[in-house]
Amino acid sequence: MKEIKKAIFPIAGLATRFLPFSKAVSKELIPLVDKPLIHYNVEEALLSGIKQIEFVARPKQKDFLNYFNRDIELEKFLEEKHKKDELRYLKEVEDYFRAISFSVSTQKKASGDTNAIFQSRKFVGKDPCGVFFCDDIVRSEEPCFSQLVQVFKTCNRPVLALMQMPDNRLSSYGVVSVEKIANSFYKIKKVVQKPKQGEAPSNLAILGRMILTPDVFDFIASDKKLMDNDYSITQVLGKMAEEGKPVYGYEIKGEWLECGNKKLWLESFMTLLLDDPEFGSEIRKKLREMKI
């Protein structure tokens, strides 16, 4: 069984829910406290053993790479201005992510995340790979993706990250119909996208982490409509499951911080801000002064 060392980051979406901000800056660079969304996701990948990441981006979308690339001019400026703390932090971030190699493929037009992921088929080759959607952050003792990797070792098949959600919120997610195999481990029978209130097949929603095997790309290639009709990769995996191809799900242990729209992002921002060891106590003090 091959180890999972590669991951795809589909980031070509237009992020219209974050306009006007997303007109100028990729959504993945929106901050959570003092780091952008993409930082949390790449860090999780790194801590889970990922060595290679391919971003699937829009044409001319390059701003996200600036965060990881070394900026010699900025380093020189900080040295000349004797900004030692800022320089140290900058170099720490650069050094930290040096263990991962980055590449970029292009999705020429917005055609859904299945289309985006398929652009990385050459990068994936014959290896299993991870998929990370940057608008989902998971706080957990063991990194979210690392939990999936442990499950993959037992099944060697595609694995979706799952989390229980209240009934009144399931209509906002992809929800799975499952057969329980063991504690927190399920065989996927079907995926229902945004079920109507009271019609969800379970209370297990899909969050933005998964492991794909090479045959997923073969399945996509066998039906071109999957790439042309704004298909979600979760729908593809549901379709595979319905056709008898084994797909599994694992209920993640951790706290899901969503950033898919402005309201969810602000809630996640405040959650991390109030818990932050550097800023949290001062923010709480300020809120008490404001009598909030």
Side-chain angles (χ1 to χ4, degrees), residues 2 21 24 29 33 58 70 121 129 154 225 266 272-273:
K2 294 184 178 180
F21 183 93
L29 295 178
V33 189
R58 300 186 302 277
R70 186 179 180 189
R121 62 195 181 282
C129 71
T154 69
K225 288 184 286 187
L266 287 169
L272 289 182
L273 179 60

Side-chain angles (χ1 to χ4, degrees), residues 202-262:
S202 73
N203 65 346
L204 293 169
I206 302 168
L207 64 88
R209 301 288 185 276
M210 63 190 68
I211 293 173
L212 304 181
T213 48
D215 63 309
V216 175
F217 293 84
D218 296 334
F219 187 83
I220 296 169
S222 70
D223 186 351
K224 297 299 183 181
K225 288 184 286 187
L226 298 179
M227 288 188 287
D228 297 333
N229 293 344
D230 204 24
Y231 248 76
S232 164
I233 190 64
T234 57
Q235 289 176 284
V236 170
L237 293 173
K239 188 174 171 63
M240 289 180 68
E242 289 186 64
E243 293 186 12
K245 298 173 176 61
V247 177
Y248 295 93
Y250 181 73
E251 191 176 343
I252 293 299
K253 297 174 178 62
E255 181 184 6
W256 185 2
L257 300 173
E258 298 179 74
C259 300
N261 59 45
K262 290 179 183 178

Side-chain angles (χ1 to χ4, degrees), residues 27-223:
K27 180 178 69 173
E28 293 70 30
L29 295 178
I30 292 175
L32 273 185
V33 189
D34 60 341
K35 295 187 288 289
L37 295 177
I38 202 167
H39 180 113
Y40 295 90
N41 282 264
V42 174
E43 181 175 36
E44 181 187 320
L46 176 64
L47 294 174
S48 302
I50 295 297
K51 300 297 183 183
Q52 298 173 261
I53 288 175
E54 179 151 289
F55 299 105
V56 185
R58 300 186 302 277
K60 299 181 181 180
Q61 181 190 7
K62 302 295 182 184
D63 56 351
F64 61 93
L65 283 177
N66 293 335
Y67 186 77
F68 301 102
N69 291 336
R70 186 179 180 189
D71 191 330
I72 296 176
E73 289 187 11
L74 178 56
E75 290 177 13
K76 184 178 179 180
F77 171 82
L78 295 174
E79 288 174 354
E80 291 174 349
K81 297 297 182 180
H82 305 292
K83 295 180 178 291
K84 295 181 180 180
D85 291 340
E86 291 89 340
L87 180 61
R88 183 180 66 253
Y89 183 66
L90 179 67
K91 289 189 173 182
E92 283 177 357
V93 172
E94 291 173 347
D95 292 342
Y96 185 53
F97 291 118
R98 200 166 289 164
I100 292 183
S101 65
F102 300 108
S103 59
V104 181
S105 62
T106 302
Q107 185 182 29
K108 294 181 180 179
K109 63 178 183 178
S111 302
D113 57 60
T114 295
N115 182 289
I117 289 166
F118 192 73
Q119 306 311 311
S120 290
R121 62 195 181 282
K122 291 182 180 179
F123 165 75
V124 172
K126 297 182 179 180
D127 300 318
C129 71
V131 176
F132 287 69
F133 290 93
C134 287
D135 49 11
D136 284 337
I137 309 296
V138 180
R139 288 203 299 183
S140 54
E141 291 186 10
E142 180 181 6
C144 174
F145 189 75
S146 181
Q147 296 178 49
L148 293 186
V149 170
Q150 297 307 311
V151 172
F152 179 78
K153 291 177 180 179
T154 69
C155 65
N156 203 27
R157 292 296 304 159
V159 184
L160 289 165
L162 307 174
M163 191 163 285
Q164 292 189 34
M165 297 296 287
D167 291 344
N168 62 351
R169 293 187 60 189
L170 290 170
S171 59
S172 299
Y173 304 91
V175 182
V176 291
S177 172
V178 296
E179 172 190 338
K180 188 170 183 178
I181 296 175
N183 187 35
S184 300
F185 183 46
Y186 305 88
K187 186 174 183 179
I188 305 296
K189 297 166 64 179
K190 185 178 181 180
V191 173
V192 179
Q193 287 294 102
K194 298 182 178 181
K196 293 180 180 179
Q197 185 82 28
E199 296 182 7
S202 73
N203 65 346
L204 293 169
I206 302 168
L207 64 88
R209 301 288 185 276
M210 63 190 68
I211 293 173
L212 304 181
T213 48
D215 63 309
V216 175
F217 293 84
D218 296 334
F219 187 83
I220 296 169
S222 70
D223 186 351

Side-chain angles (χ1 to χ4, degrees), residues 5-30:
K5 299 298 181 182
K6 299 176 181 179
I8 302 168
F9 280 53
I11 61 169
L14 295 173
T16 54
R17 293 175 180 176
F18 284 88
L19 287 170
F21 183 93
S22 55
K23 182 181 178 182
V25 179
S26 295
K27 180 178 69 173
E28 293 70 30
L29 295 178
I30 292 175

